[in-house]
Amino acid sequence: MIRRLRRWWAARTLRFRITLVVGVVALCALITLSQLGAGLLQSTLLSAADAELRGQARAAAGRIAAGTPVDALAPQESVRVVDTAGTPVDGRGPLPLRPGEIRDLAAGESVNVFRNGEPRRWLAVPAILPDGSTRLVVASGDLVGAGTLLARGALGLLLAALLAAVAVALAAWVATRAALRPVDRMRLAAAKLPPGERLPLPTARDELYALAEEINSLLARRDDAVTRLERFTGDAAHELRSPVAAIRAQAEVAVAHPDPTLADETLRGVAVEAQRLSVLLSDLLALARADAGQRPAAQPVDLVEAAREAIGRAAMIDNGDGPVLQLVAPSPAKAAASPAEVGLVLDNLLGNACRYARSVVRIGVLPAGRWVRLVVEDDGPGIPEADRERVFDRFTRLAPEAGGGGAGLGLALVAALVRGRGGTVVAGAAADGGARLEVRWPAP
């Protein structure tokens, strides 16, 4: 039941919900005020009745205290004289009161009594006779008129509360409609905006101004994402075209000129281009996953052991013809990442360093408090200072003619993987002028 009510409430418009809430709150508040008003009216009527009855009782009590015999008092239906036990001493019949009600009168309290459907108000005033005895002068009055007035007043207050609640609800409906009209205009304007355009900001710096700013910021991020996606797609298509075209050209030559002596060379060329294509596709897939935030949970990864394994893989690829790989790891160090991410980062850093190094590549693994540092240096030409930020952009190659001819995705993938774990990666210069790439991973 509660779930269905929540679904029903969520399906209603914002204007309806605001109007309903305001109307219900106003109705409850006004009904409460009408009840308080009816109570105040009742208290006022009873106070007026008590004042009149007290005046009658005190007048009779004054005469008794002055020595006028009780029997000599003019008989009045509304004034009676009884002793403290409630027994009449005025020669008339018993009072239509219960013993408890008589005790309340003797204690100075007023009493409402309903007999035969007729409400009456009773009040007693003590009178001291000349002989020192105490009598109670009891006065009573009819409350039929007061009851009728009170009922009509309560009904009038209730109707006034209902009408006022309806008026408040209508005012809330109109006010909400007027308040949401700029939002509707903003929504329609946002739906018609062409790419690159922004919403006009309102003059007043209110909630609508903040909403328009946030929408403009969202549109800017959307346009930036679309631009980056278009650029990335174009660059990826351009990079994929080269190996595919090379494979196709070699295959067409082999088909057109089926020379057995060239078959081995052709197959080797196809294998090289296929390997290049495979690496490019793997890097693109890893970048897409990094952009989408699809990464496994972080775990402690032994960075020293991962560096040794990466050095072994790089040595197998170079077949002993590449630069010397030196590992400097004075103490154990672990990074909060996944083994696959650490392996990709190390492979790309070492591959990049081996491509440009002349004779040696140094890999340093150093714990640094809450961080773990991975430093890769080579003795190659280095990275110009103006390009040390740009090298982490996708499809950026500072020296396309360098051996190996990568696609410019290696360092971009390193930056995406490391920064996705809250780390940093910076490019600098080594002591001997070569490139220095420093990665900082958070420690587990």
Side-chain angles (χ1 to χ4, degrees):
M1 178 63 181
I2 296 178
R3 185 175 303 173
R4 284 189 297 177
L5 183 61
R6 287 179 177 175
R7 286 200 300 265
W8 176 86
W9 179 256
R12 305 281 75 79
T13 63
L14 181 61
R15 186 181 305 166
F16 174 83
R17 285 185 283 177
I18 292 177
T19 303
L20 183 60
V21 170
V22 171
V24 170
V25 171
L27 180 61
C28 294
L30 292 172
I31 288 178
T32 302
L33 290 176
S34 67
Q35 291 178 343
L36 292 176
L40 180 61
L41 178 61
Q42 180 182 8
S43 176
T44 303
L45 292 175
L46 293 180
S47 297
D50 287 347
E52 182 179 356
L53 294 176
R54 188 173 287 106
Q56 296 178 6
R58 283 178 177 176
R63 294 176 60 188
I64 293 175
T68 302
V70 175
D71 298 340
L73 292 175
Q76 299 181 23
E77 182 180 356
S78 59
V79 177
R80 301 290 305 275
V81 180
V82 298
D83 59 15
T84 54
T87 303
V89 296
D90 55 1
R92 298 162 62 183
L95 297 179
L97 300 174
R98 299 187 182 92
E101 295 170 342
I102 293 176
R103 286 194 297 271
D104 293 337
L105 290 176
E109 298 179 6
S110 301
V111 176
N112 291 328
V113 178
F114 293 88
R115 294 291 185 271
N116 300 323
E118 180 182 349
R120 292 188 69 84
R121 184 78 168 174
W122 293 80
L123 182 144
V125 172
I128 306 299
L129 273 63
D131 59 3
S133 60
T134 303
R135 297 290 184 266
L136 291 178
V137 179
V138 181
S140 65
D142 188 2
L143 294 179
V144 174
T148 302
L149 178 62
L150 181 62
R152 291 180 178 177
L155 181 60
L157 290 173
L158 181 60
L159 291 177
L162 293 175
L163 293 176
V166 171
V168 170
L170 290 176
W173 175 270
V174 174
T176 305
R177 182 178 181 181
L180 292 178
R181 189 176 293 116
V183 179
D184 292 336
R185 289 198 297 265
M186 189 179 299
R187 175 181 58 82
L188 295 174
K192 297 177 181 178
L193 277 180
E197 294 294 329
R198 299 292 181 267
L199 288 174
L201 295 178
T203 304
R205 290 182 172 270
D206 53 5
E207 291 79 4
L208 292 178
Y209 184 93
L211 177 61
E213 275 193 327
E214 290 299 325
I215 293 178
N216 287 339
S217 176
L218 178 62
L219 292 174
R221 292 195 299 270
R222 180 205 64 181
D223 291 344
D224 181 62
V226 170
T227 302
R228 285 189 289 107
L229 179 60
E230 291 176 349
R231 185 172 62 249
F232 177 77
T233 303
D235 293 339
H238 176 74
E239 294 295 333
L240 289 171
R241 187 184 298 116
S242 298
V244 171
I247 292 174
R248 178 179 177 181
Q250 292 175 1
E252 289 177 350
V253 170
V255 171
H257 306 283
D259 187 353
T261 59
L262 298 178
D264 184 65
E265 181 181 353
T266 302
L267 290 176
R268 289 181 183 273
V270 170
V272 170
E273 295 298 334
Q275 176 65 22
R276 179 184 172 191
L277 181 60
S278 177
V279 172
L280 179 58
L281 290 176
S282 297
D283 289 346
L284 288 174
L285 180 60
L287 278 173
R289 288 175 176 172
D291 289 342
Q294 297 176 358
R295 53 179 61 91
Q299 57 178 307
V301 179
D302 189 341
L303 203 55
V304 177
E305 183 62 28
R308 290 196 183 99
E309 295 175 357
I311 290 173
R313 290 192 295 271
M316 292 177 60
I317 294 174
D318 291 338
N319 293 321
D321 297 332
V324 177
L325 302 178
Q326 297 178 351
L327 174 62
V328 179
S331 61
K334 293 186 177 182
S338 70
E341 290 175 348
V342 173
L344 278 174
V345 169
L346 284 166
D347 289 343
N348 281 282
L349 289 177
L350 293 183
N352 184 78
C354 291
R355 184 178 299 118
Y356 297 100
R358 295 188 181 94
S359 59
V360 64
V361 174
R362 290 176 292 274
I363 304 99
V365 179
L366 305 170
R370 295 182 301 172
W371 301 91
V372 178
R373 297 171 57 205
L374 170 66
V375 181
V376 178
E377 297 179 338
D378 62 65
D379 58 351
I383 303 174
E385 186 174 357
D387 297 324
R388 290 175 184 171
E389 291 289 338
R390 194 169 66 89
V391 292
F392 298 106
D393 294 339
R394 298 172 185 185
F395 302 105
T396 298
R397 289 179 291 180
L398 301 182
E401 71 281 357
L409 291 176
L411 294 183
L413 180 57
V414 168
L417 294 175
V418 173
R419 292 168 183 168
R421 293 296 183 183
T424 59
V425 54
V426 293
D432 53 4
R436 171 189 172 91
L437 292 169
E438 181 177 341
V439 172
R440 282 178 175 260
W441 263 301

